[in-house]
């Protein structure tokens, strides 16, 4: 990651030297993503915040706010999650980016889960899964399904977990 981070920072510097602020901002988003992937979530959050002040197009700004919401979730900052997710959702709705709206709702569901609001998190995850399925996005729906099964197991809802996993007729009682 360090090589990629150095390369991104070099590219930002060069783009700025030539007055190409749009591409410098785009690479700045990559830089923040690298920081996030390195586990340097606070630094990524700060970088995304600075980018939010300079981004000029709404779709890119929506993506920055979505990333800020994701960082907030990882930092257990529920206020940041809600604030940035709402901004991202509003901008994505205005841009007609339905899939991105659903992805941000998935982040909100994770935030609810991390805050201990298990009932709300479960319902949010079910809604997100159904929204992905309605769009025919099987892969994304499968990812949400894994979260649903994990939550069912956490809540010790064994039969529901087996049913969600497509193992009807096979449950904990059958393995006792």
């Amino acid at each position: 990651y360090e090589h990629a981070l150095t390369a991104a920072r070099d590219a930002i510097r060069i783009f700025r030297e030539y007055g190409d602020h749009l591409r410098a901002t785009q690479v700045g988003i990559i830089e923040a993503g690298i920081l996030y992937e390195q586990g340097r979530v606070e630094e990524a959050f700060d970088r995304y915040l600075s980018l939010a002040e300079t981004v000029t197009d709404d779709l890119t700004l929506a993506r920055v706010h979505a990333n800020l919401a994701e960082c907030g979730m990882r930092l257990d900052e529920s206020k940041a999650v809600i604030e940035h997710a709402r901004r991202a959702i509003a901008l994505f709705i205005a841009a007609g980016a339905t899939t991105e709206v659903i992805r941000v709702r998935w982040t909100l569901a994770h935030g609810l889960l991390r805050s201990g609001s298990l009932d709300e998190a479960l319902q949010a995850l079910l809604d997100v899964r159904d929204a992905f399925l309605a769009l025919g996005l099987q892969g994304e729906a499968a990812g949400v399904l894994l979260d649903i099964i994990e939550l069912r197991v956490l809540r010790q809802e064994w039969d529901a977990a087996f049913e969600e996993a497509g193992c009807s007729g096979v449950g904990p009682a059958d393995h006792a």
Side-chain angles (χ1 to χ4, degrees), residues 81-148:
V81 174
I82 293 167
E83 173 190 344
H84 294 291
R86 284 184 178 161
R87 288 183 183 182
I89 287 171
L91 290 164
F92 281 136
I93 288 172
T98 305
T99 304
E100 296 305 320
V101 170
I102 300 166
R103 284 190 174 91
V104 176
R105 287 178 39 216
W106 194 1
T107 298
L108 282 171
H110 283 150
L112 289 168
L113 184 57
R114 289 176 75 109
S115 73
S117 302
L118 302 185
D119 292 337
E120 290 177 68
L122 179 59
Q123 188 57 56
L125 288 168
L126 292 168
D127 292 345
V128 168
R129 179 203 56 197
D130 292 346
F132 279 138
L133 286 173
L135 293 176
L137 300 171
Q138 301 289 330
E140 286 83 349
V144 179
L145 179 59
L146 292 173
D147 290 341
I148 293 167

